[in-house]
Amino acid sequence: MTTACYDREVNCRRAASAAFQECVGRLGDFPHGIDILTVADFFSVSLRVSAYVHVAPLVAAFDGYHRPFAEHLTSAKLCHWDKAVRELAAEALARLVPIDPEHHRIVTLKCLAAS
């Protein structure tokens, strides 16, 4: 789901969303799979801004998705070569903080300070 929400390219986000949908439908072993599909479908991840700041926080609110999202933003997107991606990553990370403020206080700030 990190690719479906945070990839720079629309084709990658759409492909990741479609792959997740296929896996949920065929395997059914994904926590909150159907609920996430209603939020992060093929069309909702099409616009990069929407995927980063609207869809991703909704997905991250489900158990098991928040920390991988936060770690991906911190390790891969805040240092991305594209300035627009870095700016969106900062905004997206700010929207994840209310979900688990303690995690961000301990882990994210430490990681950012070390950068």
Side-chain angles (χ1 to χ4, degrees):
M1 286 309 299
T2 55
T3 301
C5 292
Y6 295 133
D7 199 273
R8 181 176 178 268
E9 302 299 328
V10 64
N11 291 337
C12 293
R13 289 192 308 274
R14 285 178 166 178
S17 175
F20 184 78
Q21 181 179 5
E22 184 72 17
C23 288
V24 167
R26 289 188 185 269
L27 305 174
D29 285 346
F30 293 87
H32 312 285
I34 299 295
D35 295 329
I36 290 172
L37 285 176
T38 62
V39 173
D41 63 15
F42 184 83
F43 298 104
S44 66
V45 298
S46 295
L47 296 174
R48 189 188 314 169
V49 173
S50 175
Y52 269 72
V53 299
H54 300 297
V55 176
L58 294 173
V59 174
F62 291 102
D63 290 337
Y65 292 90
H66 174 261
R67 289 187 181 180
F69 276 30
E71 290 169 11
H72 180 72
L73 287 171
T74 305
S75 66
K77 298 301 179 185
L78 290 178
C79 59
H80 197 273
W81 62 267
D82 186 345
K83 180 183 176 189
V85 170
R86 291 193 308 268
E87 290 172 348
L88 270 175
E91 186 175 346
L93 191 59
R95 295 194 182 221
L96 295 184
V97 170
I99 297 170
D100 189 359
E102 190 65 17
H103 171 76
H104 290 282
R105 186 182 67 77
I106 295 169
V107 177
T108 306
L109 286 178
K110 186 182 293 185
C111 182
L112 291 175
S115 300

